[in-house]
Amino acid sequence: GENVEQHPSTLSVQEGDSAVIKCTYSDSASNYFPWYKQELGKRPQLIIDIRSNVGEKKDQRIAVTLNKTAKHFSLHITETQPEDSAVYFCAASTGGTSYGKLTFGQGTILTVHP
Amino acid sequence: GAVVSQHPSRVICKSGTSVKIECRSLDFQATTMFWYRQFPKQSLMLMATSNEGSKATYEQGVEKDKFLINHASLTLSTLTVTSAHPEDSSFYICSAKYPGKGDTQYFGPGTRLTVL
């Protein structure tokens, strides 16, 4: 089955700096890659996603890049703010007969210091 | 749009009892819902895929007789933890696939289960 590795496990930045979180996946059939933000005790919230027919997607301060050849994708957050502090999860899905089930990375604890 | 609710948000039960958790898509119909378990400071572990009108598909290592899943309508899936034990204590989260948006999933707020 699919395996998703996420790095780093913790990331500490100063407010205004950029943050980058990287994920690799094992199944070349994976075609959908969402990123979720989860605050303590809350639900994961979809912040951005990318499909395999696109190499990059941007939404204001957040961007995701995908390299299908290398089987890795990354989340980029620019001009970080303290409210960006949370746990971020990447995930991958092969869709099709698996009904789009997601395999999650281990998570990255992002701390933005004011 | 794309709101998923869960009930209850917290439940405490005695060992040996059963607990039912409901997951509802409030403003859309979801043919597919998923149930996850999350331990403190860990990632989400998929337990099963729930499809409306058919039997759930369980992930390897998840006991189907212990974690009963029913997806009786396009807006409701339930997870029943049978004969609960302290090791079943965890955060259970459901998600629902949003129709027309591929594999996009939206999550419920989760249910904190504590088994005494």
Side-chain angles (χ1 to χ4, degrees), chain A residues 9-84:
Chain A
S9 57
T10 61
L11 180 59
S12 183
V13 300
Q14 288 296 127
E15 183 177 1
D17 287 350
S18 295
V20 180
I21 302 171
K22 298 181 179 181
C23 289
T24 60
Y25 61 98
S26 61
D27 191 342
S28 57
S30 289
N31 55 16
Y32 174 63
F33 308 91
W35 286 88
Y36 288 88
K37 174 184 179 182
Q38 187 179 30
E39 297 177 8
L40 189 63
K42 302 284 183 66
R43 77 182 80 199
Q45 290 186 305
L46 180 67
I47 56 171
I48 197 167
D49 57 10
I50 193 167
R51 301 183 194 278
S52 59
N53 59 346
V54 176
E56 185 173 357
K57 184 177 179 180
K58 190 174 181 180
D59 182 4
Q60 299 182 339
R61 297 186 296 110
I62 295 173
V64 57
T65 58
L66 171 65
N67 183 325
K68 285 190 296 181
T69 303
K71 290 191 281 189
H72 68 69
F73 56 112
S74 300
L75 176 71
H76 304 253
I77 305 175
T78 59
E79 300 171 28
T80 54
Q81 302 165 2
E83 49 266 38
D84 293 330

Side-chain angles (χ1 to χ4, degrees), chain B residues 20-23 33 35 48-56 58 64 67-80:
Chain B
K20 180 185 282 189
I21 302 169
E22 295 185 347
C23 176
M33 292 183 173
W35 286 95
T49 301
S50 169
N51 287 295
E52 187 268 337
S54 64
K55 290 183 179 180
Y58 291 81
K64 60 179 67 175
F67 299 100
L68 301 179
I69 292 172
N70 185 24
H71 194 155
S73 79
L74 288 172
T75 59
L76 173 65
S77 176
T78 60
L79 168 68
T80 301

Side-chain angles (χ1 to χ4, degrees), chain B residues 73-92:
Chain B
S73 79
L74 288 172
T75 59
L76 173 65
S77 176
T78 60
L79 168 68
T80 301
V81 183
T82 63
S83 187
H85 291 284
E87 57 265 31
D88 298 324
S89 298
S90 190
F91 193 50
Y92 292 88

Side-chain angles (χ1 to χ4, degrees), chain B residues 3-55:
Chain B
V3 179
V4 179
S5 71
Q6 261 182 262
H7 178 80
S9 57
R10 289 178 177 272
V11 58
I12 300 173
C13 68
K14 292 182 178 180
S15 187
T17 60
S18 294
V19 174
K20 180 185 282 189
I21 302 169
E22 295 185 347
C23 176
R24 293 182 186 273
S25 54
L26 298 185
D27 52 358
F28 65 99
Q29 294 185 327
T31 55
T32 303
M33 292 183 173
F34 301 89
W35 286 95
Y36 296 84
R37 185 172 180 176
Q38 187 175 34
F39 291 103
K41 298 186 179 181
Q42 292 191 24
S43 189
L44 291 91
M45 183 191 79
L46 179 66
M47 299 175 66
T49 301
S50 169
N51 287 295
E52 187 268 337
S54 64
K55 290 183 179 180

